[in-house]
Amino acid sequence: MTRPLVIIGGYLTSPDDYKTLAQVLSRPPFDFQVFITPIGRLRWALTRDWDFRPVLRILRATVAQALQETGADSVTIVAHSVGGTVARMYLGDHPYKGEIYGGHRFVHHLVMLGTPHHSKEFWTRQTVGFTNQHYPGAYYDHIRYTSIIGRSIQANRNGRWIERMAYNSYVMIDGPSGAQAWGDGITTLTCAALPGAEYLVVPGLYHSSIHGRPWYGDPDGLRNWQRVLVGSSPIVV
């Protein structure tokens, strides 16, 4: 039976950003049939704390399509950045603005790439808080949760532009503790750690191609975290 894998991106991404990753994952040693959620940059730009239902519905429809086309009972989800929060919400049975998604019935592995699991950022803090309140940590025992984070940029308020940008992002999501933290350029090492989940830190891996190369979706970047998809597991924290 074909193994389905669903990719969901993060803020201001496009499905095209993940085409190369999808192509590699469709070949040996992975041999997944890959489905990319059709969420464009405009849809992400409009998605804020007041309503995540549009992207949740798209993820739900993409998982349903993957199951129908492959005949599988469950999928692997690879979620980049805030897509990991959306995926955790999708798994749940608690009503979100009147809707229940119950995706835990259709997912056996959730891989999160640079996902911030707590946030003080104005546009997402309520949604991240909702997720952590109702589905803390690796909430569903029958689902394998894997959190991957690059260690490539240390925050520096007076450093190079990329270090200053990291400083602003780290402080925005992690508060004062982010002022000298390490991370992937957007998410800090501590913010990416989800209690009970597998946790893999990859030196030299960036959040996106804007921050540096390789990023999570590059073939060279994938080589550093592909072990979670082909059998061996990172450390559980």
Side-chain angles (χ1 to χ4, degrees):
M1 181 180 293
T2 303
R3 299 192 302 158
L5 182 145
V6 172
I7 296 175
I8 177 171
Y11 268 132
L12 302 182
T13 63
S14 158
D16 287 345
D17 297 330
Y18 304 97
K19 281 188 174 180
T20 300
L21 177 62
Q23 290 169 357
V24 175
L25 291 176
S26 69
R27 301 193 294 262
F30 311 103
D31 294 318
F32 288 106
Q33 185 167 339
V34 182
F35 300 81
I36 304 174
T37 51
I39 305 172
R41 301 191 200 284
L42 178 59
R43 177 65 268 167
W44 277 119
L46 295 173
T47 300
R48 293 292 186 264
D49 254 342
W50 50 78
D51 197 352
F52 266 68
R53 285 178 298 178
V55 292
L56 281 159
R57 291 165 181 165
I58 295 171
L59 176 58
R60 178 176 60 190
T62 306
V63 171
Q65 176 189 2
L67 295 177
Q68 182 179 17
E69 292 191 16
T70 63
D73 295 324
S74 63
V75 306
T76 296
I77 293 179
V78 171
H80 178 215
S81 195
V82 77
T85 301
V86 176
R88 289 175 62 204
M89 294 173 70
Y90 161 73
L91 297 178
D93 282 328
H94 189 89
Y96 172 73
K97 297 187 181 296
E99 294 189 14
I100 297 174
Y101 300 92
H104 66 89
R105 296 171 294 164
F106 311 116
V107 178
H108 65 268
H109 190 189
L110 172 58
V111 179
M112 296 161 287
L113 308 173
T115 296
H117 294 300
H118 57 263
S119 178
K120 301 179 185 298
E121 199 271 327
F122 179 75
W123 301 111
T124 60
R125 61 191 177 194
Q126 292 182 30
T127 302
V128 174
F130 171 93
T131 305
N132 288 331
Q133 177 185 355
H134 295 291
Y135 316 113
Y139 186 75
Y140 288 101
D141 292 339
H142 62 283
I143 295 176
R144 178 185 173 193
Y145 292 77
T146 304
S147 183
I148 299 169
I149 180 67
R151 187 183 189 275
S152 54
I153 304 175
Q154 184 179 23
N156 186 342
R157 188 175 187 176
N158 301 308
R160 297 176 296 122
W161 72 270
I162 196 70
E163 295 169 335
R164 296 196 302 271
M165 187 166 66
Y167 171 88
N168 291 333
S169 179
Y170 297 171
V171 170
M172 187 168 13
I173 64 172
D174 225 4
S177 64
Q180 293 182 314
W182 278 90
D184 64 6
I186 290 291
T187 305
T188 65
L189 302 186
T190 56
C191 195
L194 182 67
E198 299 171 347
Y199 178 60
L200 178 64
V201 177
V202 181
L205 192 61
Y206 293 87
H207 193 85
S208 75
S209 59
I210 294 173
H211 299 89
R213 308 300 282 265
W215 73 286
Y216 299 106
D218 282 328
D220 286 343
L222 173 62
R223 292 187 187 99
N224 292 303
W225 61 266
Q226 67 180 22
R227 73 191 78 168
V228 307
L229 295 175
V230 295
S232 62
S233 301
I235 298 171
V236 176
V237 295

